[in-house]
Amino acid sequence: MPRQSVWFVRTALLYLGVGFTFGALILWQKGTGMLPLAWLLLPAHMEIVLLGWTLQLAMGVAYWILPRLQVDGRSTRGRQRAVWWSYALLNAGILVVVVAGMRTTSPVQAPAVALGRLAEAVAVALFAWHAWPRVKPAGAGRR
Amino acid sequence: MPTLTRWYLKSALVWLAAAGIVGAAAALSPLLRLPPVLTALRPVYVHVLMVGWVTQLIFGIAHWMFPKPDAARAERGERLGWLTWLTVNAGLALRVVAEPVAAGHPGGAAAWFLALSAVLQLLAGWLFVAATWPRVRSR
């Protein structure tokens, strides 16, 4: 597994653990009513399991298994710098959205969430830009 | 395909079919004046789909396709994998039953089954992380 995929997938696994922990706290509150503040975790729970876990895992595995490109007779996974930027921006965006989502009374909540979403949008666009030429029929090697 | 993967994938397919039924019941509930307790099925529907189907499908494929662990870790990973399968399915099944009941009778025994479901699913998430982490590595 390439280094970029290791980072994507391990980060996704951490988000899986954290996302399930937040979900369990919310469900515990739903049953027992003992943790009313757990409801504050609901937006973070959704963000973490959908983007941090599911999307990030898909990106890590796609980087690993999509067909490689042949450039000047060399096998490559293409635009690697774009993928590192994608990783950094995706996780920065998720963290900003998660933290801002919990600060419901803060006047900077809306702009912070918008900034986080923008970072996530650039991250997925960069990933798509990297992946596009790798989605090709078997044997079609040249870029 | 490893035995554990087959169990994950077949369970995921069962949850996918269940999600269709639960989603339809939740949507039809106000139209057909079904018992109001069925409106509690909306969050159940989302979790049956996302945990029962999507997450469990991922668990199964990851167990199959991720780089193989060394022999010493393989047995431990297999045990953790089966525990994950057990806890995620038991936790989700408990939720499907307990959540609508708890919504209709707050404070009853079903509320504590909901709490138990939370603990089981929490365990499942971290067990999968523990089983999979050593297999995510560079060559």
Side-chain angles (χ1 to χ4, degrees):
Chain A
M1 192 181 283
R3 205 150 52 98
Q4 291 91 332
S5 292
V6 171
W7 279 82
F8 271 110
V9 175
R10 285 197 165 171
T11 309
L13 285 173
L14 289 177
Y15 275 125
L16 166 72
V18 174
F20 267 49
T21 304
F22 284 7
L25 290 170
I26 295 165
L27 194 57
W28 183 278
Q29 155 63 19
K30 221 178 212 184
T32 67
M34 286 161 63
L35 302 168
L37 287 179
W39 284 115
L40 284 177
L41 297 173
L42 184 60
H45 169 63
M46 293 190 291
E47 179 80 9
I48 286 172
V49 294
L50 289 177
L51 275 74
W53 157 237
T54 313
L55 172 68
Q56 185 149 224
L57 183 86
M59 288 164 75
V61 172
Y63 183 75
W64 175 30
I65 64 168
L66 282 175
R68 295 186 202 191
L69 303 168
Q70 293 297 322
V71 179
D72 301 329
R74 203 167 46 88
S75 174
T76 169
R77 287 191 167 88
R79 300 169 174 129
Q80 298 185 26
R81 196 175 296 175
V83 172
W84 279 121
W85 274 108
S86 171
Y87 171 82
L89 285 169
L90 177 68
N91 286 290
I94 291 169
L95 289 176
V96 168
V97 171
V98 163
V99 172
M102 287 189 224
R103 302 178 66 85
T104 50
T105 55
S106 169
V108 297
Q109 188 200 26
V113 169
L115 187 69
R117 291 267 180 255
L118 186 64
E120 291 167 357
V122 175
V124 294
L126 281 171
F127 191 85
W129 185 55
H130 135 270
W132 194 270
R134 293 181 62 187
V135 181
K136 59 192 176 75
R142 305 255 169 233
R143 187 155 45 165
Chain B
M1 192 184 283
T3 308
L4 178 55
T5 296
R6 293 203 308 273
W7 280 74
Y8 271 128
L9 266 54
K10 288 191 171 172
S11 312
L13 288 168
V14 170
W15 282 119
L16 175 64
I21 295 166
V22 172
L28 288 172
S29 170
L31 300 174
L32 301 181
R33 298 188 183 170
L34 296 172
V37 77
L38 287 179
T39 51
L41 285 176
R42 218 169 288 275
V44 171
Y45 165 66
V46 173
H47 285 87
V48 166
L49 201 62
M50 290 307 296
V51 178
W53 164 239
V54 177
T55 300
Q56 194 158 209
L57 188 77
I58 291 170
F59 284 4
I61 299 293
H63 178 74
W64 180 21
M65 298 297 235
F66 274 16
K68 296 286 170 271
D70 52 53
R73 282 182 169 154
E75 199 180 325
R76 173 183 167 273
E78 187 82 11
R79 270 201 308 272
L80 291 175
W82 280 107
L83 267 176
T84 306
W85 178 85
L86 190 67
T87 47
V88 77
N89 285 290
L92 190 58
L94 209 51
R95 178 177 190 161
V96 169
V97 177
E99 190 158 1
V101 179
H105 306 89
W112 287 101
F113 283 118
L114 212 49
L116 177 61
S117 156
V119 174
L120 287 169
Q121 290 181 81
L122 173 66
L123 268 174
W126 285 108
L127 283 168
F128 179 77
V129 173
T132 310
W133 190 272
R135 296 179 59 180
V136 181
R137 58 181 196 274
S138 302
R139 268 172 302 167

